Amino acid sequence: MAYKCAVCGKAPVSGGSYSHSNMRTKRSFKPNLQKQKVMLDGKAQTAYVCTVCIKSGRAARPTK
């Protein structure tokens, strides 16, 4: 399974970590994914969803 949001497709991106002496090392920025039951393609599924989608309401929870 890829480390990716099931709703928006947000995935890790790479960048630089800078020290006090401005030396650069590679690092990755990962999205904050949470395991949650969501409606995907009209079905209730458990998927990893980023917190931005949860807060905005794009990741709709299934109704009972």
Side-chain angles (χ1 to χ4, degrees), residues 2 5 7 10 16-17 19 23 26 28-29 33-34 38 42 44-45 53-54 56 60-63:
C5 176
V7 177
K10 188 182 283 188
S17 180
S19 69
M23 291 294 291
K26 286 285 189 181
S28 64
F29 296 89
L33 298 182
Q34 305 294 321
V38 293
Q45 295 179 352
C53 291
I54 295 170
S56 67
R61 300 200 67 159
T63 57

Side-chain angles (χ1 to χ4, degrees), residues 16-48:
S17 180
Y18 292 89
S19 69
H20 178 70
S21 63
N22 214 23
M23 291 294 291
R24 182 173 32 200
T25 56
K26 286 285 189 181
R27 61 158 291 185
S28 64
F29 296 89
K30 294 182 180 177
N32 187 2
L33 298 182
Q34 305 294 321
K35 196 173 187 180
Q36 189 174 29
K37 277 192 176 178
V38 293
M39 293 297 288
L40 291 175
D41 301 326
K43 297 178 184 176
Q45 295 179 352
T46 302
Y48 285 96

